[in-house]
């Protein structure tokens, strides 16, 4: 979040100074792609980089300069997930950082239970059955990350969580009947918690906006902050933060809410699915 705020302000200041990225790089004797990497979030700017960029942009206000330099320092602080960076997929660290700052999380899953609501046994079965060939240690470390992520749902200012599942996600017996029943029972418990809503899109709906794939929309409370859409793929994880593109996913989520069972009827389906595994 802090990095996003910083790069957005640096980009605004560059445009206000009527300079191109290449012109800034030339003035600072940087590689011609460095400003591009900073403004797209690919590179976290060092506080010293921010200072010289502000010089080039003609920013002389001491309070504004200090605020942006401080933001750069805070953006470079490492989260708890940094020690797991060796086993995290591309851009997963970025997503976890956003998740920690989220005011709302809207997620649609086509085939599996979302990570924030997975049991440890279910998560382990998913990671083991995934597309990557992992050692037992790597599997365990990925499961630890998933369980640690769930801590955001135990905080006083926890995000609003709205989950929509295709019925396939609750019918697929991941890890065997016992593991899946435990998982369904966790979903039932979660559906009864404040600030958590769970809906199921039944098979009877047929084609729906989510058949194109799973996605997560992360929203923020800060004024002016744009929602971010995150998607996981085999080839690498993707994020979208352009307003018009994010709106497509927000609209799809609204349509999914409309065709899904009500929260009460969804809970009833979860009970029925769990009982079938006894």
């Amino acid at each position: 979040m802090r990095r996003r705020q910083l790069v957005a302000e640096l980009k605004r200041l560059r445009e206000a100074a009527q300079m191109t990225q290449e012109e800034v790089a030339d003035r600072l004797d940087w590689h011609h792609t460095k400003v591009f990497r900073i403004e797209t979030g690919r590179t976290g700017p060092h506080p010293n980089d921010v200072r010289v960029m502000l010089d080039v942009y003609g920013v002389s206000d001491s309070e504004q300069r200090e605020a942006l330099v401080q933001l750069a320092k805070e953006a470079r602080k490492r989260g708890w997930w940094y020690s797991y960076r060796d086993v995290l997929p591309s851009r997963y660290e970025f997503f976890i950082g956003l998740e920690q700052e989220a005011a709302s999380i809207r997620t649609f899953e086509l085939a599996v239970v979302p990570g924030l609501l997975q049991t440890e046994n279910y998560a382990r079965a998913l990671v083991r059955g995934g597309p990557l060939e992992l050692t037992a240690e790597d599997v365990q470390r990925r499961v630890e990350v998933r369980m640690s992520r769930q801590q955001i749902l135990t905080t006083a200012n926890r995000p609003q969580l709205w989950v929509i599942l295709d019925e396939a996600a609750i019918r697929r017996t991941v890890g065997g009947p016992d593991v899946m029943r435990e998982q369904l029972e966790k979903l039932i418990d979660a559906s009864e918690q404040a600030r958590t809503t769970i809906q199921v899109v039944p098979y009877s709906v047929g084609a729906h906006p989510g058949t194109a794939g799973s996605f997560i929309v992360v929203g923020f409370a800060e004024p002016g902050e744009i929602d971010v859409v995150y998607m996981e793929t085999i080839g690498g994880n993707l994020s979208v933060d352009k307003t018009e593109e994010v709106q497509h996913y927000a609209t799809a989520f609204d349509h999914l809410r409309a065709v899904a069972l009500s929260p009460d009827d969804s809970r009833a389906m979860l009970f029925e699915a769990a009982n079938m595994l006894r």
Side-chain angles (χ1 to χ4, degrees):
M1 174 67 75
R2 293 174 179 84
R3 182 182 292 186
R4 291 179 72 220
Q5 293 172 338
L6 175 62
V7 299
E9 182 62 12
L10 290 175
K11 181 178 180 181
R12 187 193 68 80
L13 290 170
R14 175 181 60 77
E15 291 174 344
Q18 298 183 330
M19 299 182 69
T20 66
Q21 294 176 343
E22 291 76 11
E23 288 172 339
V24 175
D26 287 342
R27 285 279 299 275
L28 295 173
D29 197 26
W30 286 351
H31 188 277
H32 68 279
T33 63
K34 182 169 180 176
V35 180
F36 168 79
R37 295 198 308 271
I38 289 175
E39 290 189 359
T40 55
R42 287 171 168 81
T43 298
H46 189 279
N48 289 337
D49 292 339
V50 172
R51 290 188 180 95
V52 295
M53 291 173 80
L54 295 178
D55 290 340
V56 171
Y57 301 155
V59 178
S60 57
D61 183 273
S62 58
E63 290 188 4
Q64 183 182 14
R65 291 176 62 92
E66 182 55 34
L68 291 173
V69 170
Q70 182 61 33
L71 200 57
K73 292 177 180 177
E74 293 175 358
R76 293 175 67 84
K77 291 180 180 178
R78 295 168 177 173
W80 59 262
W81 55 91
Y82 182 78
S83 61
Y84 293 95
R85 65 193 183 283
D86 57 314
V87 296
L88 297 182
S90 171
R91 296 193 69 76
Y92 195 36
E93 290 181 75
F94 167 76
F95 170 66
I96 295 176
L98 293 179
E99 204 174 52
Q100 303 298 304
E101 304 286 343
S104 66
I105 299 173
R106 290 169 286 169
T107 178
F108 168 72
E109 285 290 351
L110 189 59
V112 299
V113 173
L116 286 177
L117 296 178
Q118 291 176 8
T119 65
E120 184 171 345
N121 289 328
Y122 181 94
R124 183 172 290 103
L126 271 185
V127 175
R128 284 175 175 167
L132 302 179
E133 296 181 359
L134 302 172
T135 66
E137 181 181 358
D138 285 348
V139 169
Q140 179 59 29
R141 283 164 59 75
R142 289 192 178 213
V143 171
E144 288 173 3
V145 170
R146 199 159 300 183
M147 295 300 102
S148 295
R149 281 175 52 208
Q150 297 180 8
Q151 294 302 309
I152 65 170
L153 299 181
T154 66
T155 60
N157 61 339
R158 55 152 289 178
Q160 180 79 41
L161 178 63
W162 198 307
V163 174
I164 300 179
L165 303 169
D166 188 274
E167 186 173 349
I170 69 170
R171 300 298 183 186
R172 185 179 306 281
T173 308
V174 174
D178 291 342
V179 170
M180 192 63 200
R181 185 175 64 253
E182 177 190 38
Q183 177 60 74
L184 292 171
E185 289 170 349
K186 178 166 183 172
L187 287 176
I188 293 168
D189 290 342
S191 71
E192 297 170 348
Q193 296 174 0
R195 301 184 64 78
T196 297
T197 302
I198 298 177
Q199 290 181 267
V200 179
V201 180
Y203 288 142
S204 59
V205 167
H208 58 71
T211 53
S214 304
F215 61 92
I216 303 170
V217 183
V218 184
F220 308 97
E222 290 77 5
E225 274 298 324
I226 299 172
D227 293 353
V228 176
V229 176
Y230 178 79
M231 294 160 285
E232 295 184 354
T233 73
I234 293 176
N237 300 342
L238 307 173
S239 60
V240 174
D241 62 1
K242 292 184 178 179
T243 303
E244 61 275 16
E245 295 180 9
V246 171
Q247 187 57 48
H248 292 320
Y249 290 93
T251 299
F253 194 85
D254 287 341
H255 289 166
L256 286 165
R257 285 194 289 201
V259 300
L261 297 174
S262 70
D264 287 343
D265 289 343
S266 296
R267 188 179 301 113
M269 179 178 278
L270 291 171
F271 269 112
E272 177 264 332
N275 288 333
M276 288 184 63
L277 295 173
R278 295 186 185 281

